Structure formats: C-alpha cells, structure tokens
Amino acid sequence: MQSFLAFLAEQAPVLARQTLTHLGLTFASLLPALALGIPLGIWSARSPAAARLWLSLSSALQTVPSIALLGVLIPLLGIGAAPALTVLLLYALLPVIRNTYTGIREVSPAVLDAAQGMGMTRRQMLFQVELPLALPVLFAGIRTAAVINVGVATLAAYIGAGGLGEFIFGGIALNNPQMILAGAIPAALLALLLDAALAWMERWPLRRLRTAVLFLGMLAAATAFRQAFPPQGRLRIALQPEFVGRSDGLPGLRRVYGFDPPVVVLSAALMYDALAAGEADLVCGDGTDGRIRAYDLLLLEDDRHAFPPYEAAVLARQASLEQHPELREAIGLLAGRITDTAMAALNYQTDYEKHPPEQVARAFLEREGLYHPPRSGKAGKVVVGSKIFTEQFILAHLLVQLIEGYTELDAEAKTGLGGTQVCFEALRRGDIDLYPEYSGTGLQVIVQPGPAVLDSLRGDPAAVLAYVDAQSQRRFGAEWLEPLGFNNTYAFMMRKPQAAALGIRTLSDLARYLESE
C-alpha cells in the first residue's frame, strides 16, 4: 500500500493531466451524443419506422467491439482525438436514444389529451409536458452513457488521444500492478462521481439544466479542439505505453541523454503508420521491425548505450523440459541461426508483403536446411505461446515446425497472448510450455532487479542472459534456452528526409535539437 501511494505521489502531475484529458474526452463526446440522441429519441417516439431504424442501428453499434471500431476509423480519421471522440459518441447514442424514446412513450395519454385540450401546440406539449415528465428516464440514459464513456475512453490511449488508459496499458505491458491501479482506480472513481453528479443535476429545473449544458458544451468544445489540434512546432514523438514506463525506456533516456521530450502515447501497431503519414516525427520501436525497411526509416544510433541488449531466446517451463527432454535438442537447432538482418527480412515479408507467418517460418527453415515434415505427434502435446506482434508470430511458428519435425510431439501455436505479463503468467500457470522472449524484457519486466544490478549488467549480452536465466530458474521454474542469434533492442527512428534536413543521426543529435527548440 505504501509503495502504491508513493507511486501516486511521484506520478501526480502525469495522473492529473491524464485525468483531465479523460474527463475532457468523456464530456466532448457525451454532449454531442445528447444533441444528436435526444432528437432521434423524440423522432423515434413519434414514428414507429424511425424507432425501428435508430434503435436497431444504435443497438448494432453497441455490439461492435470498441477496439474494432477504432481500427475501422483510424484510416479515415487518423490517430488522436478524432477517432476516439467518434467512437465514444457512437457508444453513448444507444442509452440516450432508447431512454428518450422510452420516457416520452411512457407519458400518460390522458395527460397529453388534457394538454391538447388546453390549446397547447405540439412544441409546447413537448417542452412543457413530455420532456419534463420523461426527464427521470432520460437522465438514467445519460448516466448510463456517461459511465460507458468513462470506461471506453481508456482505449483512447491506444490511438494517441491520452487519458487514464496510458497508465493501464503501460502497467499491463510492464507487469506493474501499481501502474494498472493508478489508471483503473481514478477511472472507476470518475465514473462514480459523474453518475452521482448527474443524479444530483436530475433534480434541477430545466432552465438551470440548459445553462449547465451550455457551459459544459463550451468546455467540451475547447477540450476537443485542444485534443484535435495540439500546438505545433516541436517534434512529435510517439511512444508505446510500455516504453514510457519501463526503466530502460523513457526514464533511461532522461538519465543518459538528459532530455524529456513531450510525447504522444500510441499503440505499437499504429506507430509506424503515424510516422509514415506525417502524424508523428519520431517513434521508438523494435530494431528488427520489417516496417523500417518498408517505410525507408533511419535508425538513430544509441551512441551512449542507453538501451540494454535484447537477445531473443526461448523461455520454457522447466517442468515441460523435464517431461519432454527432446524439446531442448529440437529448439537448439535454431540457436544462433537468426541474425538481425534475417529477422528484419522475415518481419518485412509478413508485415509488408503480407505472407502468412507460418509460410515465412517454413521458407526460412527450408533455406537453412532445417525443415522436416511433421512426425506422428503421438508422444504428447506442447503449447507454444507468443505475444501479439509479427515477430513473435513468426518465431512461434518456427518453434512449432521444429518441434513437430524433430520430435514425436504435437505442437500447438497459441499466438496473440498480449504483452509480457500475459505470456509469462500463462507460462507460470502451465497454460503454455514455452514462448519466445528477450533478455532485456526478462531483466526489466520479469526479474526486475534493483538499480545497482541493472547498472552492473548494462551492455553485456551474455551477463544479462545468464542473470535472467539464473533468476528465472530459481524464482519461477522457467529456463532460458540458447539465444536465437539476433538482438531486438529498442531503436528511435525517423523518416530519412526529415532526419537529413534536421541533421539528426544519433540520439545525442536528437537531444541537442530538442534543447534548441
């Protein structure tokens, strides 16, 4: 508990910024949803055909996973606030439309007949009779929409729109419960506070409500404008959540190079597209990523060695190796076979040329003279896991094909397990038997030694791997097998023409440029 409170105190400025951004995204999407949803709900209450159309359409939108909806909108709207606000608006429509429709339909016909008999116009009946009587039901829909938006807004961090999701995604990637809670608890409190505030506002008279909505609308518009059109002039740096929080990531750069650039947190899957489209000027990704070649990017030299080695190796359960000792020999055939250049080429074939990972893996084994057709698979079954990016998919299929070709075991690839936390916990529980991992990740995320150990190991690949192997065997019952041959370390990259124009080739050059801005 004390460590969590210390973490909150240390991250208080960041947490405050993320909370305000999260609140701004919620209001900036909720108020347009009210402006659109309430008229559609009124129309639906007047017309059965409109009710079938709008209630069915808004219900259908709710069934689409929010992450899939973001993926559809990104090619149309880019990254940042625009697609996030659009998704939040669409998700808020159903409760607003449905509750407006229900509230108006439940007004007693006798009351409407009396209002009509008093000579009220249709407009007067709506604003002086129907809406006031429907207000409790309508507010229930607004409260539901607000709570939904607070939850869905955590995904805004996935596409560079900020919010409390930055802590949540970073914590998941780093296996850091404190970071996860630092994002999740404020999001939950925000949802509860909004629900309570709306319940209180429900008792206000309509004139006071209109004034409050006008004020909140102006605030939301200003927030949306600031999110959609941030100040220009400085280099825009997009970083994945994991890099922002881990000690060898942004904190390490601050320590070694002395700069603290303003960054946009963005999913690793979107960083390269943002860079290619000119929506970001720098990204930090994997040094063997195939998109480096596809987008003709320049890797900035880490001339002060801020990043530790990230040797690829197979991390396996000791129980699985003891049960199936033939695994060690089969996997060992791949040791030292994959160079940095070879891995980048394999990634390129999958990411850019769109060849299936299993096909790319088989072609590599055939070129290396290592491919054998699968054997009987009657001696048992092993499960090979992988994280959710291209390189891991390829490595998983390489391992499956080697195991099935050189042993009597059946191998299943369980790909796309998310980040390090998900994969490693699956290994510890026995849900998977082995998966490809990196020594630097083992050091920083799995073993997590103190600063003195980190400093003593930095830059020595053999020492890092030996240390994480010893610690993993002692603490987790997991063993690191022989390195596969390539080092997938972090790398900052830029578009080559822009780097040449700014005279940036190393991270020291970047630090000097940022200081001069």
Side-chain angles (χ1 to χ4, degrees):
M1 184 64 180
Q2 289 182 345
S3 61
F4 176 62
L5 294 177
F7 179 83
L8 289 181
E10 179 185 349
Q11 299 293 330
V14 178
L15 183 60
R17 172 181 56 80
Q18 291 182 356
T19 302
L20 289 175
T21 299
H22 205 96
L23 190 62
L25 289 169
T26 301
F27 276 116
S29 56
L30 181 60
L31 294 179
L34 298 182
L36 182 60
I38 291 175
L40 290 177
I42 295 170
W43 183 14
S44 298
R46 302 277 190 259
S47 167
R52 287 193 296 272
L53 172 63
W54 295 115
L55 290 175
S56 299
L57 184 59
S58 56
S59 297
L61 286 172
Q62 285 279 353
T63 66
V64 180
S66 50
I67 196 69
L69 201 53
L70 283 171
V72 170
L73 291 174
I74 286 169
L76 302 174
L77 302 176
I79 62 171
L85 291 173
T86 303
V87 167
L88 292 173
L89 185 153
L90 293 175
Y91 267 78
L93 278 178
L94 176 61
V96 175
I97 294 175
R98 184 179 295 279
N99 282 49
T100 303
Y101 166 82
T102 302
I104 291 179
R105 293 286 295 177
E106 289 182 350
V107 175
S108 171
V111 173
L112 297 178
D113 289 341
Q116 191 173 13
M118 293 174 61
M120 283 188 174
T121 65
R122 191 68 176 267
R123 179 182 177 85
Q124 288 174 325
M125 291 172 59
L126 174 64
F127 286 99
Q128 297 181 29
V129 178
E130 291 176 291
L131 282 179
L133 291 175
L135 205 58
V137 179
L138 173 57
F139 254 93
I142 296 173
R143 290 165 65 182
T144 301
V147 172
I148 289 174
N149 273 19
V150 170
V152 176
T154 56
L155 292 175
Y158 184 83
I159 57 170
L164 292 165
E166 290 185 6
F167 268 145
I168 295 173
F169 288 130
I172 291 173
L174 292 170
N175 193 18
N176 187 333
Q178 293 180 346
M179 287 187 69
I180 298 173
L181 292 175
I185 291 176
L189 291 176
L190 197 58
L192 292 173
L193 289 173
L194 273 179
D195 185 65
L198 289 170
W200 174 55
M201 292 174 63
E202 185 179 336
R203 299 190 293 269
W204 290 5
L206 281 177
R207 179 174 298 180
R208 190 176 179 187
L209 280 175
R210 285 196 296 267
T211 303
V213 169
L214 179 62
F215 171 76
L216 291 175
M218 295 172 61
L219 181 63
T223 300
F225 183 85
R226 180 174 60 84
Q227 292 286 336
F229 303 101
Q232 300 297 316
R234 303 197 63 172
L235 288 179
R236 294 161 296 176
I237 302 177
L239 303 175
Q240 53 189 303
E242 178 178 356
F243 184 84
V244 173
R246 60 191 297 162
S247 61
D248 61 330
L250 190 56
L253 285 179
R254 294 190 186 111
R255 184 174 61 253
V256 176
Y257 288 95
F259 65 81
D260 189 10
V263 302
V264 172
V265 178
L266 191 63
S267 161
L270 302 175
M271 289 193 310
Y272 296 93
D273 292 334
L275 187 60
E279 295 177 347
D281 300 300
L282 289 108
V283 301
C284 186
D286 301 327
T288 57
D289 199 295
R291 287 164 291 191
I292 297 170
R293 171 185 169 189
Y295 295 138
D296 194 29
L297 304 178
L298 174 69
L299 297 183
L300 303 187
E301 179 188 350
D302 178 19
D303 51 315
R304 298 184 191 173
H305 308 291
F307 300 135
Y310 276 78
E311 284 193 294
V314 173
L315 182 58
R317 296 179 71 238
Q318 288 180 308
S320 300
L321 294 174
E322 292 169 1
Q323 183 180 2
H324 305 293
E326 63 270 33
L327 279 174
R328 191 185 300 273
E329 183 177 352
I331 295 170
L333 294 171
L334 205 58
R337 291 274 191 157
I338 311 175
T339 64
D340 292 7
T341 303
M343 193 68 247
L346 297 179
N347 288 328
Y348 177 83
Q349 292 168 26
T350 299
D351 278 328
Y352 195 70
E353 296 180 347
K354 304 303 179 185
H355 297 303
E358 58 270 28
Q359 178 183 321
V360 171
R362 175 168 176 169
F364 175 80
L365 293 178
E366 289 175 343
R367 287 194 303 272
E368 294 291 315
L370 293 176
Y371 181 76
H372 279 183
R375 296 186 180 181
S376 67
K378 294 180 180 178
K381 178 181 177 180
V382 294
V383 180
V384 180
S386 86
K387 302 179 191 179
I388 191 166
F389 59 93
T390 299
E391 182 169 291
Q392 289 266 315
F393 297 158
I394 297 170
L395 293 173
H397 284 290
L398 283 170
L399 296 171
V400 165
Q401 292 176 29
L402 280 176
I403 293 168
E404 292 189 333
Y406 287 86
T407 74
E408 299 295 331
L409 295 168
D410 179 33
E412 175 192 351
K414 186 174 286 188
T415 57
L417 291 177
T420 302
Q421 180 184 18
V422 177
C423 269
F424 187 67
E425 288 303 317
L427 186 80
R428 292 184 64 184
R429 291 193 307 266
D431 296 331
I432 61 175
D433 296 284
L434 53 102
Y435 78 99
E437 189 53 278
Y438 308 95
S439 59
T441 302
L443 183 68
Q444 301 284 343
V445 180
I446 297 175
V447 176
Q448 298 182 354
V453 174
L454 288 175
D455 289 340
S456 68
L457 295 173
R458 185 177 303 279
D460 188 337
V464 169
L465 189 60
Y467 180 80
V468 297
D469 181 39
Q471 292 293 316
S472 297
Q473 290 192 45
R474 182 177 64 84
R475 294 162 55 184
F476 309 119
E479 182 177 341
W480 292 74
L481 303 183
E482 292 183 73
L484 301 180
F486 69 94
N487 179 26
N488 185 16
T489 190
Y490 279 126
F492 266 85
M493 54 200 76
M494 298 179 69
R495 297 182 298 277
K496 286 182 178 179
Q498 184 181 24
L502 298 177
I504 297 176
R505 297 195 62 84
T506 68
L507 289 181
S508 292
D509 294 337
L510 175 61
R512 285 190 291 269
Y513 181 85
L514 290 172
E515 289 174 1
S516 67
E517 280 193 314

